[in-house]
């Protein structure tokens, strides 16, 4: 073989002019093209998302709507705050610790408060727990015998008597909780309520106070019914007033579930008043007091605050996920590998951040549309599916809230 031939075949020798051997293989060309297309796709989608979210933030700001929790949540002085009164104090306390990654973690430290409430007020479940239908004039008077049996079946109320008068038995059971119920009643007379909810925990924020408020409302409702049966109209009226104030407290913190508990507890107050009307227990002074009490009930401002907060909850959650894509599993319930939820989390984590931003903007726009509708709705008007979402100015019968 000639020296020239050997040189041409040696490694690293440049191929002669006109050689057809490719410098870069087609697989590499395809990979580079796919990478360029993926980069362009993510770049465009992220730009679109950032633009949509910036535009929505500007629109909300122009409407005077809060964009952060710091702009929205105001803590009242402790002395005027029901959440700082003795029955609730410490319920939403947290201790700060450090996780394995060195980042701060906040551990809930209010279990002792919840345990005290359970020991004081938990009773056996009712055999019929269906809610009262206040639109039905035939709704029966509370079955006091059944309620008394609930207290007898509870291990928290040992020694409840069994007499021919169930109202007396209920009052005897709740007499053992007189001081605790008095603490709650006194707490409800504080003018404001703002529990120390960690709103920054978005979907993971704890709301233990709502269950406690509802359990207290049931206890006062039972006592009011028993007092009516025993002829104590003033005591029953006082307890109905406490239930009404508990409802207001449930709706004071701007959360959607707080609004729902507000409505449920207000229904308990109305049901207790309805029991008195059914048995003809109320005189003119009591009827006047009840009229004044329930004339204050207006879920519209409560709903406005709740849906404002739902918008902030959604925006802060999406913001959290955009900055912490590794937390999808935690938000989705910490699934084990191989779960459908885990696969969904992996799929979501591959989305362009811009898609999250577009969802952030769309979610905020929809929730704010509900807020704006409620702001201009006549007082007491329920939102119906076939109602015009934008009521004309001449139909407004109440102030903007």
């Amino acid at each position: 073989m000639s020296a020239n031939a050997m040189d041409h075949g040696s490694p690293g020798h440049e191929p002669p002019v006109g050689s057809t051997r490719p410098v870069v293989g087609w697989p590499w060309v395809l990979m580079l093209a796919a990478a360029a297309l993926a980069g362009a796709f993510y770049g465009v989608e992220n730009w679109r998302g950032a633009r949509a979210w910036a535009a929505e933030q500007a629109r909300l700001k122009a409407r005077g709507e809060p964009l952060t929790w710091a702009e929205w949540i105001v803590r009242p002085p402790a002395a005027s705050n029901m959440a700082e009164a003795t029955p609730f104090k410490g319920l939403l306390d947290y201790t700060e610790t450090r996780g394995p990654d060195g980042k701060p973690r906040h551990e809930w430290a209010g279990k002792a408060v919840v345990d005290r409430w359970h020991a004081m007020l938990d009773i056996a479940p009712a055999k019929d727990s269906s809610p009262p239908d206040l639109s039905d004039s035939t709704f029966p008077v509370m079955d006091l015998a059944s309620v008394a049996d609930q207290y007898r079946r509870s291990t928290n109320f040992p020694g409840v008597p069994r007499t021919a008068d169930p109202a007396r038995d209920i009052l005897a059971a709740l007499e053992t909780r007189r001081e605790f119920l008095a603490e709650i009643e006194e707490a409800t007379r504080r003018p404001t309520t703002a529990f120390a909810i960690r709103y920054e925990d978005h979907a993971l924020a704890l709301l233990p106070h709502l269950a406690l408020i509802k359990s207290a409302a049931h206890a006062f409702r039972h006592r009011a019914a028993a007092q009516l049966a025993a002829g104590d109209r003033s005591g029953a009226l006082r307890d109905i007033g406490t239930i009404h104030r508990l409802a207001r407290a449930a709706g004071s913190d701007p959360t959607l579930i707080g609004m729902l508990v507000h409505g449920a507890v207000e229904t308990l107050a109305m049901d207790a008043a309805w029991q008195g009307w059914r048995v003809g227990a109320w005189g003119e002074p009591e009827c006047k007091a009840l009229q004044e009490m329930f004339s204050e009930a207006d879920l519209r401002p409560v709903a406005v605050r709740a849906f404002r907060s739902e918008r902030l909850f959604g925006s802060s959650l999406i913001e959290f996920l955009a900055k912490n894509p590794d937390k999808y599993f935690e938000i989705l319930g910490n699934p084990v590998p191989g779960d459908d939820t885990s696969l969904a989390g992996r799929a979501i984590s591959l989305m362009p951040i811009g898609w999250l931003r577009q969802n952030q903007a769309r979610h905020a726009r929809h929730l704010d549309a509900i807020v704006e509708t409620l702001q201009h709705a006549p007082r007491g008007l329920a939102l119906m599916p076939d109602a015009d979402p934008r009521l004309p100015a001449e139909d407004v019968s109440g102030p903007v809230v």
Side-chain angles (χ1 to χ4, degrees), residues 291-312:
Q291 178 68 27
E292 292 177 355
M293 182 189 305
F294 293 123
S295 67
E296 300 172 357
D298 184 7
L299 276 175
R300 191 171 59 118
V302 179
V304 167
R305 287 171 54 81
F307 280 102
R308 272 199 183 116
S309 290
E310 282 301 303
R311 174 178 59 77
L312 285 172

Side-chain angles (χ1 to χ4, degrees), residues 88-369:
F88 300 97
K89 193 169 183 61
L91 175 62
L92 280 166
D93 283 353
Y94 289 83
T95 56
E96 184 173 313
T97 60
R98 294 282 172 177
D101 55 1
K103 294 181 179 180
R105 294 186 176 182
H106 296 87
E107 301 289 337
W108 178 53
K111 186 175 182 301
V113 180
V114 173
D115 289 344
R116 183 193 182 209
W117 275 74
H118 286 332
M120 286 290 181
L121 296 181
D122 273 9
I123 62 175
K127 295 178 181 178
D128 179 14
S129 58
S130 57
D133 181 2
L134 299 181
S135 65
D136 184 0
S137 61
T138 65
F139 183 75
V141 175
M142 180 184 291
D143 184 355
L144 296 179
S146 177
V147 173
D149 186 57
Q150 287 180 253
Y151 284 94
R152 292 191 196 96
R153 289 187 286 116
S154 171
T155 57
N156 290 328
F157 290 87
V160 176
R162 185 183 297 274
T163 69
D165 186 354
R168 181 183 299 176
D169 298 343
I170 294 170
L171 292 174
L174 290 174
E175 181 64 23
T176 64
R177 304 294 189 264
R178 173 182 286 274
E179 291 184 6
F180 185 62
L181 294 176
E183 286 180 7
I184 297 172
E185 179 183 357
E186 183 62 27
T188 65
R189 296 187 182 280
R190 296 194 178 189
T192 59
T193 302
F195 285 90
I197 300 169
R198 284 184 52 82
Y199 292 97
E200 60 270 32
D201 289 344
H202 36 78
L204 302 178
L206 299 180
L207 307 171
H209 59 289
L210 296 177
L212 304 189
I213 286 174
K214 198 167 181 182
S215 68
H218 278 289
F220 282 106
R221 175 173 171 249
H222 293 159
R223 192 168 73 173
Q227 287 169 329
L228 281 173
D232 183 3
R233 294 187 302 185
S234 62
L237 185 63
R238 185 173 61 250
D239 281 352
I240 292 171
T242 301
I243 301 170
H244 174 69
R245 293 191 297 275
L246 284 168
R248 182 188 62 192
S252 293
D253 286 311
T255 63
L256 187 57
I257 190 171
M259 180 193 76
L260 297 175
V261 173
H262 176 123
V265 174
E266 193 71 87
T267 298
L268 293 178
M270 293 180 178
D271 175 57
W274 181 253
Q275 300 291 329
W277 280 314
R278 288 299 308 276
V279 299
W282 302 129
E284 184 176 347
E286 291 82 17
C287 286
K288 182 178 180 181
L290 290 169
Q291 178 68 27
E292 292 177 355
M293 182 189 305
F294 293 123
S295 67
E296 300 172 357
D298 184 7
L299 276 175
R300 191 171 59 118
V302 179
V304 167
R305 287 171 54 81
F307 280 102
R308 272 199 183 116
S309 290
E310 282 301 303
R311 174 178 59 77
L312 285 172
F313 270 123
S315 294
S316 62
L317 174 58
I318 295 173
E319 189 73 31
F320 176 81
L321 293 177
K323 295 178 179 179
N324 302 274
D326 59 316
K327 296 295 185 180
Y328 283 114
F329 298 117
E330 180 181 342
I331 298 300
L332 293 174
N334 196 25
V336 297
D339 276 1
D340 290 340
T341 310
S342 178
L343 294 174
R346 289 192 179 95
I348 293 173
S349 66
L350 295 175
M351 290 192 314
I353 297 299
W355 287 7
L356 287 175
R357 296 297 184 199
Q358 290 186 55
N359 276 275
Q360 196 173 20
R362 184 165 299 184
H363 172 271
R365 189 161 56 250
H366 285 320
L367 270 293
D368 187 56

